[in-house]
Amino acid sequence: MTPLDKPTADGTGAGTGTGPDSGTGADGEAVASRAVTEAALFEAFGGFRGLVETTLPGLVFITIYTVNKDIHAAALTALAISAVLGVTRLVRRDTVKHAFSGVFGVAFGVLFAMMTGNAKDFYLPGMFYTLGLAVAYLVTAAAGVPLLGLVLGPVFKENLSWRKRNPGRKKAYTKASYAWGLILLGKCAVLFPLYLWGDTTKFGWVTMALKIPPFLLAVYLTWIFLAKAPAPINVIAEMEAEEKAEQEREQRGEREQAQRSTLGTTGGEFADDASRALLADSERLRDDPSGTDGRRPGQAGRHRR
């Protein structure tokens, strides 16, 4: 169950705006929008636990390296911690992407550092990833297809409906993507020069210091932009409603067809009875043209009287 599907205290879904604290009208919609936005951001970025998992291995690495200057010990310990965190997520049946993303990132850092013998290289894959992500945010926002909308659209169950049907959401996603791109680009502007000319230990601690604050700032700005934007269009619910309506139309058509078949059968039986009656009358008249049924004329007359 995702945070978006978790029921609130009054039994309603998050973000429905139907609970006692949701208010009515515009206030209720604003409260619902904020609730859905918070839940979606929590799910998309892993929440507090996700921050711990992305920060702890690097923190352990630089701590061990600061103490004994042993790259191998620092790298292997960081990798072991990352693997334990990933396995814990799998055992708890949490989101797989959060379980493996941290492990792969640390594994690449360990590989770089042990191959080059330079402790700074432990952080190099993450730095290149951050730079590429910053460029992707800026380019997609400029192109009118903001990356954040592509990431959060499925979480909000709106998919790509914001592109054509909800311009207010598209504007918010564009602003948030620009914010992410600029924040990450500023982080790279600090780390890359320090990587080239700074002391290894100092570089490691600055890298860890810049791990969480820029991320929290970007998430906060995203929350601000999306909380003020129009509510997402739940295209999943729309598709389910269309499927249900189609099923009801098919069932109604089947019932009408069955009724027509029943009426046709009954009408056919009546027609057959009438045909048989007419045939019997015609045969009787053919056998007895006088219509007396074999009686004498006087008897027929008395019968008629």
Side-chain angles (χ1 to χ4, degrees):
M1 178 181 291
T2 66
L4 288 175
D5 299 324
K6 291 180 180 178
T8 56
D10 62 337
T12 60
T16 58
T18 58
D21 298 329
S22 61
T24 58
D27 292 338
E29 292 180 359
V31 172
S33 178
R34 285 194 295 270
V36 173
T37 300
E38 290 172 2
L41 292 177
F42 181 89
E43 179 178 338
F45 300 116
F48 177 77
R49 186 175 177 182
L51 290 178
V52 172
E53 291 175 345
T54 57
T55 305
L56 185 59
L59 185 61
V60 169
F61 176 86
I62 192 59
T63 300
I64 294 177
Y65 183 79
T66 301
V67 172
N68 59 17
K69 306 298 182 183
D70 188 341
I71 294 178
H72 291 78
L76 294 177
T77 304
L79 182 60
I81 291 176
S82 180
V84 169
L85 294 173
V87 170
T88 302
R89 272 196 179 271
L90 291 178
V91 171
R92 293 169 58 90
R93 296 183 180 180
D94 290 340
T95 307
V96 175
K97 65 178 180 180
H98 295 310
F100 285 108
S101 59
V103 176
F104 286 146
V106 174
F108 277 115
V110 168
L111 181 63
F112 271 57
M114 295 182 70
M115 286 178 59
T116 63
N118 186 352
K120 291 181 183 180
D121 290 342
F122 176 81
Y123 302 99
L124 196 57
M127 292 167 57
F128 280 118
Y129 174 77
T130 300
L131 179 60
L133 196 59
V135 173
Y137 275 122
L138 296 174
V139 170
T140 55
V145 191
L147 179 60
L148 203 63
L150 301 177
V151 173
L152 294 181
V155 179
F156 281 114
K157 300 181 180 180
E158 61 180 337
N159 293 343
L160 297 180
S161 63
W162 50 267
R163 291 195 62 196
K164 302 292 185 181
R165 301 172 56 190
N166 205 340
R169 297 282 296 179
K170 180 179 179 180
K171 185 177 181 181
Y173 281 136
T174 301
K175 290 181 178 179
S177 293
Y178 274 124
W180 275 89
L182 293 175
I183 290 172
L184 295 180
L185 204 60
K187 179 179 176 179
C188 292
V190 174
L191 293 181
F192 275 97
L194 193 59
Y195 170 82
L196 295 175
W197 299 298
D199 175 74
T200 300
T201 303
K202 184 184 298 184
F203 167 76
W205 286 109
V206 171
T207 300
M208 297 314 303
L210 292 178
K211 194 77 173 181
I212 294 179
F215 175 83
L216 293 180
L217 176 60
V219 170
Y220 175 73
L221 292 177
T222 301
W223 180 81
I224 291 294
F225 293 137
L226 293 182
K228 295 180 179 180
I233 299 173
N234 192 333
V235 295
I236 305 299
E238 288 182 348
M239 289 189 293
E240 291 175 350
E242 290 177 0
E243 291 178 357
K244 183 178 181 180
E246 181 64 24
Q247 291 176 355
E248 291 177 351
R249 285 194 295 268
E250 291 178 356
Q251 292 174 356
R252 186 165 57 249
E254 292 174 356
R255 288 195 298 269
E256 292 175 353
Q257 181 65 29
Q259 291 175 355
R260 285 195 296 268
S261 299
T262 302
L263 291 175
T265 301
T266 305
E269 292 175 352
F270 286 146
D272 291 341
D273 291 342
S275 299
R276 285 193 293 270
L278 289 174
L279 182 59
D281 290 341
S282 64
E283 290 177 351
R284 189 167 52 250
L285 290 174
R286 185 184 59 201
D287 296 338
D288 186 14
S290 63
T292 60
D293 293 335
R295 294 188 296 270
R296 291 190 299 273
Q299 292 175 337
R302 286 194 301 269
H303 179 73
R304 282 194 296 273
R305 288 195 298 271

